[in-house]
Amino acid sequence: MTTIGEAIVRYLEERELPVVFGLPGVHTVELYRGLAQSKIRHVIARHEQGAGFMADGFARVSGQPGVAFVITGPGITNILTAMAQARSDSVPMLVVSSVNERAGLGLGLGHLHELPDQQGICALIACRSEQVTSDAELMPALHGIYQDLSAKRPGPMHLEVPLDVMGASFEQASRAPDPKSPPVPGPELLKSAVGLLSRARKPVILAGGGARWAEDALLAVAEQLNAPVVQTINARGLMHGHPLTIPASASLEAVRDLLRVSDAILAVGTELGTTDYDIYRNGGLPELKHMVRIDVCPDQLARHPADVTLCGVAADVLPLLSRALGEGRGAPDWGAEQAAETRVKALAELPGDYAHQVEMLNCIRDSFPNSIIVGDSTQPIYAGNLYYDHDCAGGWFNSSVGYGALGYGIPAAIGAALAAPDRQVVCITGDGGAQFTLPELMTALDEKLPIIFVIWNNAGYLEIETSMADANVEVVGCDPTPPDFEALAKACSMSFRRCENSTAGFSEALKSHKPADGPMIIEVDVPR
């Protein structure tokens, strides 16, 4: 007999999912029944939030949904933060959970792990939440979730199965229907977009995370338009080193000056959100006139005024746009000259010692080409989000903007390393943020992942302390005592290096890493 729990595992295996993250519990025993016989690798997190962040990091690097198995009640509430982060950044995720028996749901009978309305809580954050109460409902629920993941804006999905259903017999056919395809704009809309962009002499492209899988097509359109390409945080690494690339935040005045003089905007896969375009919340972003937007989400396209909206996945729409544009257009000297000038001014505009911190990031990129840098909320990440040119698409991501969850870096780096075992993964986290998820270091050890965990140690929450001081608020609560990271590394059986806050010292520490030895901690000592 095949149970519903086993059928869920088999469904994921048929879709060639290589790994799931989670913590087993008495409420998910039936869900785990099929794992041992499957080809799916189960990775044990130390906390459900960590499992969610691991699924997030895996999804960003692999392009597949990150999947997590969690228990009823606290398992769900623990992973909600990771689900919210995934929703903010359009990351495909599937959380599979148990829930209490059907007869007692919502009655407050005091069952173990009981919530008043578990699915209702999840539905507030998940893009889709399904409860399966019989074997006949399982496949329609799973098919619907996977079709949404393939044809709509990615995000967290939730599937829950009551305890008295998880172990029940499953006898339905599992054949999936043909997957839905994302929408594609019609010829009239493409013609309108081409007309607007063709008339422009000073076009600018705004590339968001939705463009990260469409680098070749983005490059083709940029060169046809001779348009500088401004990258949001999740687009960094696209067109690395290209003369048209501007790896700088639109919150910087140098980039805003470029937008002010532009006469057309092509916005690709970007929500135009404040954490990319107005991080200082000073309202200084100029009006984006004569704009063409490409996005897979019709709701997102309706949130900002645009002259032409092209609903679809960037990797599908950009080639259509490129073919329709034909020969190169735009002012001959506009793109590369403006991009070069903007890069120089943006780098010079960085506050404090951020330029030095960008040089520290360059040390990682130069030491490990094609690496993946996963960040938490800490100063080098803030600096890089303002200006940093990574050398591969999708190789730079972090949680310091959007939902902004602390503790993301360590577990997300684990997910990234499992998705790309042939690439060096470097996690950058502060001493404060690291303390949110330090136990997940042991997962990296268990899985023998050669991740470099960089701890930026300024002995507290320096960014928050500075914000308090700038607002004339007496600083309170910004000085949590960091652990002895050398002793911690020893306790976790990891190699350790401490270095000063200099490019020379940091480069030497990076070069000492031996992947065969597994994960490593590098503590950067930052004087206050």
Side-chain angles (χ1 to χ4, degrees), residues 33-287:
R33 183 184 294 277
L35 268 179
Q37 288 74 42
S38 77
K39 297 177 182 178
I40 298 175
R41 178 180 187 176
H42 180 266
V43 174
I44 307 169
R46 272 35 179 192
H47 188 278
E48 289 89 357
Q49 179 176 274
F53 287 149
M54 290 177 197
D56 178 302
F58 173 85
R60 293 194 199 222
V61 173
S62 70
Q64 295 179 280
V67 179
F69 289 174
V70 300
I71 64 166
T72 315
I76 280 292
T77 53
N78 284 342
I79 205 171
L80 284 175
T81 295
M83 292 172 67
Q85 184 71 50
R87 178 152 190 164
S88 177
D89 285 345
S90 302
V91 177
M93 178 187 293
L94 172 58
V95 174
V96 181
S97 76
S98 54
V99 70
N100 288 112
E101 289 88 349
R102 289 170 290 178
L105 290 178
L107 298 181
L109 299 176
H111 291 302
L112 179 67
H113 302 327
E114 186 174 8
L115 283 168
D117 183 1
Q118 178 173 291
Q119 189 186 16
I121 292 172
C122 290
L124 293 172
I125 295 175
C127 296
R128 180 172 184 154
S129 179
E130 296 278 358
Q131 185 185 96
V132 173
T133 60
S134 70
D135 65 336
E137 295 177 358
L138 178 61
M139 286 303 146
L142 284 169
H143 294 336
I145 285 171
Y146 262 78
Q147 287 191 333
D148 278 4
L149 286 170
S150 63
K152 296 182 178 180
R153 176 195 177 192
M157 306 287 173
H158 170 237
L159 178 77
E160 70 174 20
V161 185
L163 294 177
D164 57 329
V165 177
M166 187 80 77
S169 174
F170 176 78
E171 300 177 356
Q172 303 295 317
S174 62
R175 189 184 71 82
D178 294 334
K180 290 183 179 179
S181 298
V184 177
E188 289 303 313
L189 280 173
L190 282 169
K191 182 179 179 181
S192 297
V194 168
L196 187 153
L197 295 170
S198 296
R199 291 189 296 270
R201 303 299 291 169
K202 298 179 179 180
V204 173
I205 296 175
L206 302 176
R212 59 160 296 193
W213 302 104
E215 182 171 31
D216 290 344
L218 177 69
L219 174 60
V221 171
E223 291 182 342
Q224 285 171 291
L225 294 173
N226 194 22
V229 180
V230 178
Q231 303 167 358
T232 68
I233 294 162
N234 285 328
R236 298 294 172 81
L238 287 166
M239 296 171 53
H240 168 65
H242 192 279
L244 292 173
T245 288
I246 302 176
S249 171
S251 297
L252 296 173
E253 281 304 309
V255 179
R256 291 177 169 187
D257 286 343
L258 176 71
L259 297 177
R260 289 186 183 99
V261 299
S262 70
D263 58 2
I265 299 290
L266 174 60
V268 184
T270 172
E271 297 178 354
L272 303 173
T274 56
T275 50
D276 273 307
Y277 293 88
D278 194 17
I279 190 65
Y280 300 117
R281 302 190 70 84
N282 57 19
L285 182 70
E287 182 182 355

